[in-house]
Amino acid sequence: MLYLLLLTIITSFIPVSWASPAGFVSAADAVVIVFVVCACASAMVNRLHNRVDLSVLALSLAALACIYVSQYLNDVLELVNVLIKYSIFLVLIPTAIFASRLSLDTTKLDEHLAKALAFGGTMLCIIVLVQIARGQHLYSEDGTYHILLLEQRVNKNAIGSLLTFAVSGASWLAIIYRARVYAVLSLFFFAVTLFISARSATLIDLLLLLYFFVYLRGFQPSRVLAIGVVFSIVLGTFGLILSTGVLDAQLERLTQITELNTSNVTASTSRILLWDFAWQKFQDAPIFGNGYGTFSYIGSGWLNGMYEPHDSVLQILYAGGLIGFLAFAALILRSLLKNNRHPASVLLNLLMLGYLFNSLVAIIWIRGEGHLFWSLCFLKAVPIPQRSRRSKQPNARPRLAGSNLTPLSR
């Protein structure tokens, strides 16, 4: 089961999907389906009675129920692709993880996860660089950079979000296990992120590297986690302030420029317009939102028809309203606050918070990123066995079985 979990993580770094009668399907979707079938079959055959946090499962099902209610009230149940995607995130993934939890080798969970993330990031970087060398890249009308993969446009920000996970995994192995090759990989991921101009992901990568330095210096991870949560709340509040019309003069200027259809409005500056539009629409349906997958900016020029407000808070508020936002917030906070005594929990929290920070100026939970986030979220929500990072003998440095990595003595 461990290999299916790691394969889910690795295939999440393939940022393309294919059309099917049931909507778009990605490689990670296929692996998750195999994972959940094998996990449930194994649990039934071996009669594994796994301890499951029913509150987490209840919150997950409640979030999915809110999505269905929002789609029904807005008469957009025909958007089957949206329902399938969130059913995979909130039903299949937690079912697979909870059913297989006792079958997983959890004594080295952080190492396994970090290696899978580093491998997936390496694979993605190689693909991106090869495509750029082949000329398979382009700039859209708004100046956004895309990589062409299998005749599909992959936005630079989607690649940057995925590489944020890879930077964390490689940095964890480099600092905790003193593996220099992963230090080089971490810098390589950061360089590629910077090269494709994924600015928000680059900033998050810098913050993640700072976190690792703080952790290495011996500060308490719980305090750093608390600071991170407060920082996310401050950023979210600032984003809402921007979207409520405080910068009316800037909004008016950007609107005029867009109506003239000039090139002065870029993908970055246009976010203010998208945020304001999403906030106004949220006020029209504040309880259950306007439905998932229905956002479309109304304006002139290239910005007309833009999907999603490129802010995770406003994206959820627009689509699911206050009910949907509270359901997701409760589920994520419940996961972040559980099982924080094990060292692997530090890595899981770091990965989740890094992605959430980056999503404040990006689209949240698209395929690939969503598979990674929710897999980590539900892994964090179940008990993780303790293991010592020190040898009982002060002069000995134990080596991990089947690995040349040596845990860092702290």
Side-chain angles (χ1 to χ4, degrees), residues 21-23 71 76-86 367:
Q71 299 299 88
V76 288
L77 284 174
E78 67 273 9
L79 298 178
V80 180
N81 188 52
V82 173
L83 300 178
I84 291 177
K85 182 181 74 171
Y86 282 100
R367 278 184 169 80

Side-chain angles (χ1 to χ4, degrees), residues 141-142 258 261 270 273-274 277 281 293-310 318 363:
E141 185 180 357
D142 60 348
T258 305
N261 196 22
S270 67
L273 291 173
L274 296 175
F277 180 80
K281 289 295 183 181
T294 64
F295 185 91
S296 180
Y297 181 78
I298 301 175
S300 60
W302 60 264
L303 196 57
N304 184 51
M306 182 69 69
Y307 70 97
E308 302 300 357
H310 290 73
Y318 168 88
I363 302 173

Side-chain angles (χ1 to χ4, degrees), residues 7 45 53 69 106 120 126 146 158 167 284 295 300 308 330 337 409:
L7 186 59
V45 170
D53 189 331
V69 170
T106 56
I126 291 175
H146 295 271
V167 167
D284 294 337
F295 185 91
S300 60
E308 302 300 357
L337 297 176
S409 177

